Amino acid sequence: MSAPAPTVLRALRSPRMLSREVLAGLVVALALIPEAIAFSIIAGVDPRVGLFSSFVMAVSIAFVGGRAAMVSAATGAVALVVADVAPTYGLEYLLATILLAGVFQILLAVFGVAKLLRFIPRSVMVGFVNALAIIVLMSQLPHLLGVPWLTYPLVVLGVVVIAIFPRLTTAIPAPLIGVVVVTALVMIVGWDLPTVGDQGELPRTLPGFLLPAVPLTGETLAIIAPYAAGVAVVGLVESLMTAKLVDDITDTPSSKTREAAGQGIAQILSSLFGGMGGCAVVGQTMMNVKISGARTRISTFLAGVFLLILVIVFGDFVAGIPMAALVAVMVMVSYAAFDWHSVRPSTLRRMPKSETAVMLVTVVLTVVTENLAIGVGAGIVAAAVLFVRRVAHFTTVARTLSDDGESVRYAVRGELFFASSNDLTTQFSYAEDPARVVIDMSQSHVWDASTVAALDAIEHKYRQRGARVEIVGMNDASGDFHGRLTGNLP
């Protein structure tokens, strides 16, 4: 009998499970701080904007999101989309942009955009996961270049601790132990190394409620709408793909429509409390779910709460945490997130080349552009093109002349749509065929108007030569479709 699904109520009744959720939230909060500061710099705003955004989104999505244990906060993907807004138009326009993006996301949820997730092929999903693992690793490079040499052995120490500690116990998340060990060593010895405080000044006050002070005019809408649409699309793509990833890891379902709407609500709340918006953060989500073992909304909620407490109350201590400790955590997150099975030689030999090509397209474009929407979109297009190309070659036409030579029968086999039916007209011997032609469609299916047009063209060519064409064997769906359109196409 399988164990019951983890819930908030079960976690509150189980001290062991609750402690895991609490400590997982603490680890995620520590990892969110330097990234939120870095993303604030990308967006051209004060670090507190990114930190407040991470707090608001993590706490709110714990209540309104559709995927338990998935972490949402300020992200690089959203920061890149709005990078020009604050420097060009001011912070108020950035807040208005995020608010409008939230409205767009809610509308997309209402119109069922989350259902489109089922059209994403597995090869694109694998490419998405691998690209994110690479991006997580690449995001740590600024903390590994031009730093004191002691940084490198400390990162290695942190990685070793995080890798080995789960073999001793899983009661305490290994990343937390890694951070504590590396931080304690640096503080005891007194080494002068880059710290969290070097990334930017931490806020000392709580976020306050405010409305974006922008003119309610068409000109304002023209400025913020394109950025807001970009944030909405990029945020939903990353969030829904991450939710699907967590579904697979935890073997539990989630509501993608609720998650899409929840992301919109979290964006709006982030804007109203002076935040720069965001979406699901894959690195911290993998840290929460795969490394720390969290499974409920408690960890997500506490990640936001701990984040605020750490920067407001314990800001001086948090500022002293060496970046080497957090880099070690993110390196392990990258390693755990990457689908190593997908790049094994044995897997690549068995996998169709088209599947591997789709995965590579997704990985390369996601990493190069640092835009998940572009990478995933390109992967889907590549998968569709390769699928159509493959299926188009499965259509065949076999010609059989009757014994008396008075009639000819063509047996059409395969799926008929625009890619396969375009060449259909070239597979008939118009000049050589007798006056009676039978086209047997019993082993094929008509999918689109292109096929109907091709069949009409074939009949027309035979009529010009005085031959009579009889189409037989269509299934009910094909027959109805063909009957509605035949003779009525331009």
Side-chain angles (χ1 to χ4, degrees), residues 37 58 109 138 233 266 271 278 306 349 366 379 392 396 416 488:
I37 295 173
M138 289 174 59
V233 172
S271 168
F306 282 141
R349 283 195 298 269
T366 301
T396 60
L416 297 174
N488 296 313

Side-chain angles (χ1 to χ4, degrees), residues 217-353:
T217 63
E219 182 182 356
T220 299
L221 183 62
I223 292 172
I224 67 174
Y227 293 106
V231 170
V233 172
V234 170
L236 281 188
V237 169
E238 184 162 353
S239 299
L240 295 180
M241 294 284 282
T242 304
K244 177 65 169 60
L245 182 59
V246 177
D247 291 351
D248 294 339
I249 293 172
T250 61
D251 292 324
T252 56
S254 63
S255 171
K256 305 302 183 296
T257 298
R258 178 180 172 183
E259 182 60 40
Q263 288 291 327
I265 295 171
Q267 295 279 25
I268 293 173
L269 291 174
S270 169
S271 168
L272 295 177
F273 283 91
M276 54 179 277
C279 60
V281 278
V282 180
Q284 279 73 9
T285 297
M286 291 298 98
M287 181 188 302
N288 195 42
V289 174
K290 203 166 187 179
I291 305 296
S292 299
R295 290 294 183 271
T296 74
R297 298 174 186 273
I298 294 175
S299 60
T300 309
F301 171 76
L302 290 179
V305 173
F306 282 141
L307 170 63
L308 191 64
I309 293 174
L310 287 171
V311 298
I312 300 294
V313 181
F314 300 102
D316 292 338
F317 173 78
V318 171
I321 295 176
M323 286 303 301
L326 297 179
V327 169
V329 173
M330 299 309 292
V331 167
M332 284 302 295
V333 167
S334 174
Y335 177 83
F338 196 89
D339 186 349
W340 295 100
H341 180 268
S342 67
V343 295
R344 289 177 183 170
S346 57
T347 302
L348 295 176
R349 283 195 298 269
R350 289 194 302 268
M351 194 68 64
K353 292 181 179 179

Side-chain angles (χ1 to χ4, degrees), residues 141-160:
L141 292 180
H143 307 302
L144 293 172
L145 300 175
V147 295
W149 69 269
L150 280 171
T151 299
Y152 306 113
L154 286 173
V155 170
V156 173
L157 172 63
V159 168
V160 171

